[in-house]
Amino acid sequence: MFNCKESIDSLLPFLEGEMSPEDEEHLRQHLNGCPPCVEFVNTYRATSGLCRKALVKSMPPEVAGRLRAYLRSKLETK
Amino acid sequence: MTQTSVEDDRELLARAQAGDMSAFEALVDRHEEKVYGLALRMTRSEADAAEIAQDTFLSAYQHLSEFRGEAAFGSWVHRIAANNALMRLRRQKVLDIVSDDLAGPEFTDRGSLAEVPESDWSKRADDKILDEELGRAIREATDALPEGYREVFLLKDLEGLSYEEISEMVGISIPAVKSRLHRARLALREAIDAFYKEV
Ligand SMILES: [Zn+2]
């Protein structure tokens, strides 16, 4: 059976389904008896989505306008 | 509405390859948001992001004839943009390879979690609206990641590139990409956890 550290170290292959069946069994056994690690897995899994929400930013209209003007000037002279 | 709005990228691309400028502009229309967003997240500079978007579409246009169309146009320009952003970062600074300051969970000598998470905030992650303060905390935490970790995290979790693509672009092995991704996620998870603890 894994301890907390081994469990957390193996989260990436675990969540991607790339763990060996034996290791996955070790991890599952640990998670069954360790609520803090279950919370850790849940919050680890939620982290990417929260970051995506925080980091998405749209293009300001003036930037879009400049891009269009730039491309036009570059492409039409070819 | 013109017919252009329902044409898919493939048709637009074929027309652009045949020399139709308006078809290329329609492709730019469809993909500029994503390209700009990627560049902005990578470089953290609006001026750089605008220039990268310009370079990306210009180089896409110049290489239109080489594009075979097996991949989606979107992922093609996405890769060009990611490469452009990485090149710019390279130019700007020496890669920060120090990783010791990355936050992560602490363990006891026996390998047990030293600190029990205060609450399981993963359920709140489904909320449609992200708390403004949490958003700020996440942006600061992402900015604070060492460069080599930040770029891997952004390319994988924000831009959805494959491990192979990232390994090739960043010039490190796939296991190294995975290890950096994991460390970056741990550090960001720690930052979000700290945010919820303070509240
Ligand atoms: Zn545990």
Side-chain angles (χ1 to χ4, degrees), chain A residues 12 17 21 51 53 62 66:
Chain A
L12 191 70
C51 291
K53 277 186 204 161
E62 66 274 15
R66 277 207 304 279

Side-chain angles (χ1 to χ4, degrees), chain B residues 88-187:
Chain B
R88 191 163 291 240
L89 288 175
R90 293 278 142 78
R91 273 211 310 276
Q92 281 165 355
K93 59 199 137 209
V94 176
L95 277 187
D96 178 4
I97 51 165
V98 182
S99 58
D100 291 339
D101 52 352
L102 267 182
E106 309 222 330
F107 300 99
T108 64
D109 291 343
R110 295 170 58 210
S112 299
L113 270 176
E115 216 178 308
V116 178
E118 191 110 318
S119 66
D120 184 349
W121 41 260
S122 64
K123 292 170 193 76
R124 296 199 230 172
D126 298 332
D127 293 353
K128 275 250 161 29
I129 309 290
L130 183 74
D131 181 90
E132 188 51 45
E133 288 303 316
L134 175 60
R136 195 190 312 263
I138 289 174
R139 284 190 290 277
E140 283 170 6
T142 313
D143 285 355
L145 290 175
E147 194 56 51
Y149 291 77
R150 213 177 65 85
E151 62 188 21
V152 165
F153 171 75
L154 293 175
L155 290 174
K156 185 71 179 74
D157 281 358
L158 275 289
E159 317 303 343
L161 299 189
S162 70
Y163 289 123
E164 287 75 15
E165 287 171 330
I166 298 170
S167 155
E168 204 173 296
M169 276 181 196
V170 179
I172 57 175
S173 69
I174 290 177
V177 171
K178 290 185 175 178
S179 149
R180 285 191 191 183
L181 174 68
H182 182 59
R183 299 280 306 276
R185 283 179 178 171
L186 288 179

Side-chain angles (χ1 to χ4, degrees), chain A residues 4 30 34 37:
Chain A
C4 295
H30 178 81
C34 186
C37 270

